[in-house]
């Protein structure tokens, strides 16, 4: 069960989401993807997409304007 | 000040209204309310991009240019706006207000961070994208707010035509984005 | 949330990294709102309209930031990621605003007054299509439309400050060429106000029907799994 960090700091819409989707496809069930973002759009659309796909999602605010979206691949 | 901040941050209404993001549907309702209020109180629907042409004109005049012979600025209304200048232009104040309102919202949620441009790709995307939007909005009679949102809500066929081609452009833009700008 | 007995809990290994203490931005927020109000008062003193527009702008900016309402996403996501939540919300906004606008316009018409707010009832011509197409490409690659760009400038995105600068340049360029477009393209088109075609009630029904159908289509599209085309 590995943990992969995806640094999307400074990326414009909708790059964090696209990168997160590509990365998730490479992971196995049970792996965790940590998407590091500073874009408030991504703070909404990445969790939304992940939840729609059925994964477990947690959002943690790590600094002013910076978040980590922690996605556990469920299926 | 510190304990005041701490108290504010724990307040459930602060969290609900200022800290957390709001649902999209709330946005749809509120933006509609303010659009309708705009039409009712100012006589015109909301628009954003026409102001940018005026900003361009004022900047051009600053460096010695003149737009007075241009068709676009020939009308009485356009001339009057140019005469009044940047500081007395309502449209300008509305656009600057959007920036201020968004800034306040971000600070209130303790989410402000200056995001520097990361790569030359972003520079190219911003320059190209900005030029396309600026030019397209003029010849299309508006942007996503004026031509699309206000146009459709005004029951103009132009709004729907704009919507179709805006969508097609977005599809092409998405392909370009993934191919060249990611 | 420290219990690790849940089968679905996410491991917290990487979060023990040391973080810099968060700056408290609330004082800045308070300062900002005070400045906003003061500017509003000053502008209102010069001219009530200036103050009004400033207030509306701030309201729009605040709402856009909190809701992350993004017209760019509404057009881009169905194709790029298969998501249609924003699309559906934009359609809802069209519907609600249409009702309000129709009421105001009909109210004036019924009293024999000129119909207000017709500034965006403009000729439909090739320029509409080309302009919208250009704008569509631009907004996606720039990462924000007109309102979205202004919002992101307020949020501190350097890229959108650059985008705004060139939006202004492009606007001036477009204004410069408007004479040509008007003469050669736009004059060939005609403005169509839907109530002129279908009557007031008819126009409302037709427009609502289109919006509802589009909403259903977006809803169905969004429910497809694996709908995105990024890989």
């Amino acid at each position: 069960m590995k943990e992969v960090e995806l640094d999307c700091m400074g990326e414009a819409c909708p790059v964090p989401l696209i990168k997160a989707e590509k990365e998730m496809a490479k992971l196995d069930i049970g792996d965790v993807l940590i998407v590091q973002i500073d874009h408030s759009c991504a703070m909404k659309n990445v969790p939304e997409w992940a939840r729609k796909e059925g994964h477990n999602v947690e959002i943690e605010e790590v600094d002013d304007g910076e978040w980590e979206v922690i996605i556990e691949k469920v299926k | 000040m510190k304990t005041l901040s701490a108290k504010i941050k724990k307040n459930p209404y602060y969290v609900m209204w200022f800290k957390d993001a709001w649902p999209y549907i709330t946005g749809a309702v509120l933006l509609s309310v303010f659009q309708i209020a705009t039409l009712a109180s100012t006589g015109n629907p909301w628009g954003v991009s026409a102001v940018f042409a005026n900003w361009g004109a004022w900047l051009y005049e600053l460096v010695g240019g003149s737009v007075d012979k241009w068709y676009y600025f020939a009308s009485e209304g356009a001339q009057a706006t140019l005469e009044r200048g940047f500081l007395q232009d309502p449209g300008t104040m509305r656009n600057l207000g959007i920036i201020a309102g968004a800034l306040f919202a971000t600070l209130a949620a303790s989410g402000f961070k200056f995001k520097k441009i990361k790569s030359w790709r972003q520079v190219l995307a911003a320059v190209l994208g900005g030029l396309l939007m600026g030019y397209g909005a003029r010849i299309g009679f508006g942007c996503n707010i004026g031509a699309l949102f206000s146009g459709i809500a005004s029951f103009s066929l132009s709004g729907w035509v704009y919507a179709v081609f805006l969508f097609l452009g977005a599809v092409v833009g998405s392909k370009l984005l993934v191919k060249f700008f990611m | 949330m420290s219990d690790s007995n849940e089968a679905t809990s996410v491991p917290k290994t990487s979060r023990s990294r040391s973080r810099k203490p968060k700056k408290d931005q609330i004082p800045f927020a308070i300062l900002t709102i005070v400045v906003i109000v003061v500017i509003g008062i000053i502008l209102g003193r010069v001219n009530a309209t200036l103050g009004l527009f400033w207030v509306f702008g701030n309201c729009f900016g605040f709402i856009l930031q909190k809701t992350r309402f993004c017209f760019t996403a509404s057009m881009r996501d169905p194709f790029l990621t298969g998501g249609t939540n924003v699309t559906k919300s934009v359609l809802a906004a069209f519907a609600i605003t249409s009702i309000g606008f129709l009421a105001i316009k009909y109210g004036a018409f019924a009293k024999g007054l000129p119909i207000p707010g017709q500034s965006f009832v403009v000729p439909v011509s090739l320029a509409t299509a080309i302009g919208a197409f250009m704008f569509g490409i631009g907004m996606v690659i720039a990462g924000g439309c007109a309102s979205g760009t202004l919002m992101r400038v307020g949020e501190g995105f350097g890229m959108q400050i650059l985008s705004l600068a060139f939006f202004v340049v492009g606007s001036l360029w477009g204004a410069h060429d408007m004479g040509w477009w008007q003469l050669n393209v736009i004059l060939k088109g005609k403005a169509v106000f839907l109530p002129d075609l279908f009557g007031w009630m008819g126009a409302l029904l037709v427009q609502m029907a289109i919006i509802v159908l589009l909403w259903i289509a977006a809803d169905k599209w969004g429910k497809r799994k694996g709908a995105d085309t990024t890989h």
Side-chain angles (χ1 to χ4, degrees), chain A residues 9-10 38 44 61 64-65, chain B residues 19 22 110-111 113 118 122:
Chain A
M9 295 296 196
D38 55 6
K44 237 192 176 194
E61 194 181 345
D64 294 325
Chain B
K19 181 72 190 158
W22 296 352
S110 262
K113 176 191 170 199
K118 202 172 157 176
Q122 287 190 347

Side-chain angles (χ1 to χ4, degrees), chain C:
Chain C
M1 212 167 74
S2 56
D3 67 73
S4 48
N5 289 329
E6 291 176 327
T8 53
S9 73
V10 173
K12 297 183 193 297
T13 47
S14 71
R15 247 86 37 74
S16 50
R17 275 199 300 268
S18 60
R19 301 199 197 290
K20 18 182 210 335
K22 295 189 212 182
K23 284 178 262 82
D24 182 12
Q25 295 188 347
I26 306 271
F28 291 108
I30 297 177
L31 179 66
T32 305
I33 192 67
V34 167
V35 170
I36 289 173
V37 170
V38 167
I39 292 178
I41 295 174
I42 296 175
L43 286 174
R45 285 262 169 89
V46 171
N47 175 339
T49 307
L50 284 181
L52 182 71
F53 274 67
W54 173 252
V55 168
F56 269 106
N58 275 278
C59 293
F60 281 127
F62 188 84
I63 296 168
L64 288 170
Q65 204 283 337
K66 294 282 351 133
T67 61
R68 309 235 54 88
F69 202 84
C70 182
F71 289 85
T72 307
S74 74
M75 299 269 157
R76 169 200 73 204
D77 289 355
F79 174 73
L80 203 57
T81 68
T84 55
N85 283 333
V86 189
T87 313
K88 293 192 291 191
S89 302
V90 166
L91 288 168
F94 289 163
I96 302 171
T97 307
S98 294
I99 295 173
F101 274 26
L102 193 77
I104 292 174
K105 291 178 191 243
Y106 178 73
F109 172 80
K111 292 196 196 101
L113 295 167
I115 300 175
Q118 298 288 80
S119 52
F120 291 105
V121 182
V122 290
V124 181
S125 70
L126 209 55
T128 315
I130 297 174
F133 189 71
M134 287 175 75
F135 195 90
I137 298 178
M139 73 179 184
V140 173
I141 65 179
C145 51
S147 47
T149 299
L150 289 174
M151 170 187 82
R152 288 182 183 83
V153 168
E155 291 186 287
F157 283 92
M159 184 176 164
Q160 268 65 40
I161 296 176
L162 188 61
S163 177
L164 179 61
F166 281 88
F167 199 138
V168 172
V169 172
S171 300
L172 188 65
W173 190 353
H176 175 268
D177 290 354
M178 243 344 215
W180 184 91
W181 285 96
Q182 176 68 19
L183 212 57
N184 296 297
V185 181
I186 298 170
L187 275 180
K188 298 199 173 110
K190 212 176 82 133
V192 177
F193 183 52
L194 296 180
D196 288 339
L197 275 186
F198 300 111
W200 292 89
M201 211 50 220
L204 182 66
L205 288 172
V206 168
Q207 180 137 311
M208 284 303 158
I210 296 175
I211 293 173
V212 167
L213 289 171
L214 287 172
W215 195 96
I216 294 174
D219 191 51
K220 292 196 163 166
W221 181 267
K223 293 203 162 97
R224 301 172 3 158
K225 283 278 166 68
D228 71 81
T229 57
T230 54
H231 41 251

Side-chain angles (χ1 to χ4, degrees), chain B residues 38-57:
Chain B
T38 298
L39 176 61
S41 60
T42 72
N44 277 309
W46 182 21
V48 170
S49 58
V51 172
F52 296 144
N54 294 330
W55 289 6

